[in-house]
Every structure is written in structure tokens, then in C-alpha cells.
Amino acid sequence: MKKILITGADGQLGYELQRLLNSEAYVEKFSVLATDYQQLDITCKLSIDQYFLQNQPDFCINAAAYTAVDKAESEKETAYAINATGAHNLALACKQNNCQLIQVSTDFIFDGNKTAPYLEIDTPNPLSVYGETKLQGELLAKEALPSVCIVRTAWVYSVHGHNFVKTMLKLMSEKESLSVVCDQIGTPTNAANLAKALLQLIDVSAETSISGTFHFTDNGVASWYDFATAIQQAGLRLGILKQSIPVSPIPASAYPTPAARPQCCVLDKSKLLCLLGEQGMHWQQALEEMLENLIKVNG
């Protein structure tokens, strides 16, 4: 039985990967090595080398990341250690141990100035420390392991952990009104769908060696305001929210943050969807599924 190592197992993507790998479709196919920071410090090469020697994983999905975008502006060294050095350390260990690496990256490596969806071959130009450290992680991983698979995603949320969806539900149940940024455009992505795509990529890679850079998000586009209003509508429909509150659109300039963010950053995912033989799911349907699962999780 092949072994899949998941780093960052306590995060949103890590949670969904474990849930899927424990399902009927995968439980007899792969054994799971789920690690968080306490079990495997990816910033420490010695720790990784010892772990690989003892456990001999066949595949590694690096879902560990420093994702506090604004905090990263003042914690550059920590962000770099996790997002860049960590990716490099894993790539070196994967090369030495003949392990396939999937490095999860982000739309924040782009500046958001392109009017069409970003292709994998488009030139990166990160605006923030977070984006820069994730880009360095891509470059260092590729340098150490040319056969690495890099998968960029965006606006990830899940029933597990902290995210925009759960924050909006909380605020909408507590506040009398909300203002949400309307001029930053992207694609909300259910971590469950991302996890499914990554495991499908491993399935394909196990048959035919796959490498290179790919994009994956759910389908469609939205502003944060669009996303927030959809959360409220679905929350009311499913009974998670008891009453509607006014949600007002505001420009990003009215809500200044330490880190600059891409204004319009939609990823073209046709390359990966074609490889997997999938059509993808619209973000609104994906949101609905997440909220239904959230009801089940919360009892």
C-alpha cells in the first residue's frame, strides 16, 4: 500500500485530505501519514530527513504554509522559513527518497493586473511578503526537484479551521450590518474540492509520471462582497442564519491592510481539469455543499 505524507494536516486542506483518504474510495489504496508542526517541522532539514528515513512516503502533499497575509509583513523570516525553506527541505528529501511532491501554492504570486485569467506560464509579480515567500517556495522546490507538481489555488475555505465563510456567518449572526470589499476579484474554493483534485492528480501521477505547474479553484468569479452576500443567502436558506442584515459594498481603499492584495486574480484551471477529465464545480454550489457539511459537523 502506497503512503501519502500530508504536511500541515491540522489546516483546512490537511483536514479535507485526511477525510477523503479515510473514505471508501481511498482507504484501501493509501495509508496516511498526517503531520502537523509538532510531528514534523518542515523548517528543519534534519527533522525531515529523519522522518523520511523512518516512514518512506511514496507521495507528499505539502499543505503546510504560513498564511497570515497581513502578519507576514512584520514576520518575514518566519513566513520565509515555512513557505520557502520548508518547501525546499521537502523537495530535497523527496528527491533523495524517490517520493512525488505536490507543492500547494497561491494566486498571491500574481499582482492581479491581468484582465484575463492567469495561466501557469504567466510571469509572477507578488505584492506581499506572503506572495513572495510562496513564490520562493515554488522556485526552490523546482530547483531541488524538477519533477515537482506545483498546484496554485485561491480563497480556500472549509468546515474546519478559520476562514471567510465562518467569519461571515459569525458576524452576520452578531452584527446589525456589514461592509465588505467589492473591488477585489477571485474565486472562492472549497478545500474539499481542492483535496479531491490533488488526490486525483496523485492517481494520474502513479500511472504516468506527472510534473509541472497547475492551477485549481472552483469555477466562476466573485468579489468578496459577492461571496459574502452568497454566504448570507445560503445561510438563511439552510437555517444557519436566523435573519438577514444589510451587507454594503466598499472599495478596498476604505479598508486598508498591511499587505497589498491582487485586485483581480482569477486562475485558469483548464490544464488540470483537462488532465483529470473533470469539469469542476461552480463556487456557489461548492459553498452550498460546505454549509450542508458544516450543519452535519455541528450536529
Side-chain angles (χ1 to χ4, degrees):
M1 188 181 286
K2 300 283 188 181
K3 298 178 185 176
I4 296 182
L5 168 61
I6 301 168
T7 63
D10 56 345
Q12 297 184 109
L13 176 57
Y15 170 87
E16 296 294 351
L17 283 166
Q18 290 176 82
R19 190 178 62 81
L20 196 50
L21 284 164
N22 287 320
S23 70
E24 193 177 332
Y26 285 99
V27 73
E28 293 181 3
K29 204 170 182 178
F30 298 108
S31 61
V32 186
L33 302 168
T35 63
D36 57 21
Y37 173 76
Q38 284 75 25
Q39 293 148 325
L40 180 61
D41 179 3
I42 65 169
T43 68
C44 175
K45 188 174 184 302
L46 180 60
S47 173
I48 291 176
D49 289 343
Q50 289 175 341
Y51 189 92
F52 271 71
L53 188 64
Q54 290 169 2
N55 295 281
Q56 292 296 306
D58 299 285
F59 302 94
C60 174
I61 300 175
N62 183 22
Y66 183 108
T67 57
V69 176
D70 289 321
K71 208 172 173 184
E73 295 296 310
S74 58
E75 294 188 356
K76 186 171 183 177
E77 287 184 8
T78 304
Y80 189 90
I82 297 168
N83 293 343
T85 305
H88 189 224
N89 289 341
L90 283 169
L92 289 169
C94 284
K95 183 177 182 180
Q96 191 171 351
N97 292 274
N98 195 28
C99 175
Q100 173 69 54
L101 174 63
I102 295 179
Q103 169 67 22
V104 181
S105 192
T106 174
D107 61 326
F108 271 54
I109 68 154
F110 296 117
D111 58 20
N113 292 332
K114 188 181 178 186
T115 53
Y118 279 93
L119 301 170
E120 290 82 355
I121 57 173
D122 283 331
T123 304
N125 184 32
L127 303 176
S128 63
V129 167
Y130 167 68
E132 177 60 33
T133 57
K134 289 298 288 183
L135 174 59
Q136 288 303 313
E138 288 189 18
L139 297 173
L140 289 169
K142 198 181 295 185
E143 179 185 290
L145 184 69
S147 62
V148 66
C149 282
I150 294 164
V151 180
R152 298 173 183 145
T153 190
W155 294 27
V156 175
Y157 63 92
S158 163
V159 297
H160 173 76
H162 301 288
N163 54 65
F164 185 79
V165 177
K166 290 165 83 173
T167 298
M168 286 296 106
L169 289 173
K170 184 174 186 294
L171 292 175
M172 287 167 178
S173 65
E174 296 173 350
K175 301 280 188 182
E176 293 184 358
S177 65
L178 275 181
S179 297
V180 183
V181 170
C182 65
D183 56 356
Q184 289 175 351
I185 310 297
T187 306
T189 303
N190 187 335
N193 289 338
L194 174 58
K196 179 185 172 187
L198 295 181
L199 294 182
Q200 286 178 312
L201 183 58
I202 283 179
D203 281 338
V204 173
S205 194
E207 298 295 324
T208 310
S209 184
I210 302 292
S211 63
T213 303
F214 303 90
H215 290 166
F216 182 86
T217 63
D218 286 324
N219 294 342
V221 299
S223 67
W224 291 109
Y225 169 75
D226 297 330
F227 195 15
T229 56
I231 291 165
Q232 176 161 252
Q233 289 164 5
L236 289 166
R237 191 165 56 251
L238 293 169
I240 299 172
L241 296 171
K242 303 306 177 191
Q243 60 183 16
S244 175
I245 64 167
V247 180
S248 305
I250 58 168
S253 58
Y255 187 72
T257 56
R261 285 158 168 78
Q263 187 169 3
C264 182
C265 203
V266 177
L267 301 178
D268 185 310
K269 53 263 180 194
S270 55
K271 178 183 171 184
L272 183 57
L273 291 179
C274 183
L275 176 68
L276 302 180
E278 294 282 343
Q279 292 184 323
M281 181 186 293
H282 194 277
W283 69 264
Q284 288 179 312
Q285 182 187 344
L287 171 64
E288 196 95 11
E289 289 194 1
M290 177 271 191
L291 292 175
E292 287 170 356
N293 284 331
L294 188 63
I295 292 170
K296 291 175 188 174
V297 168
N298 291 340

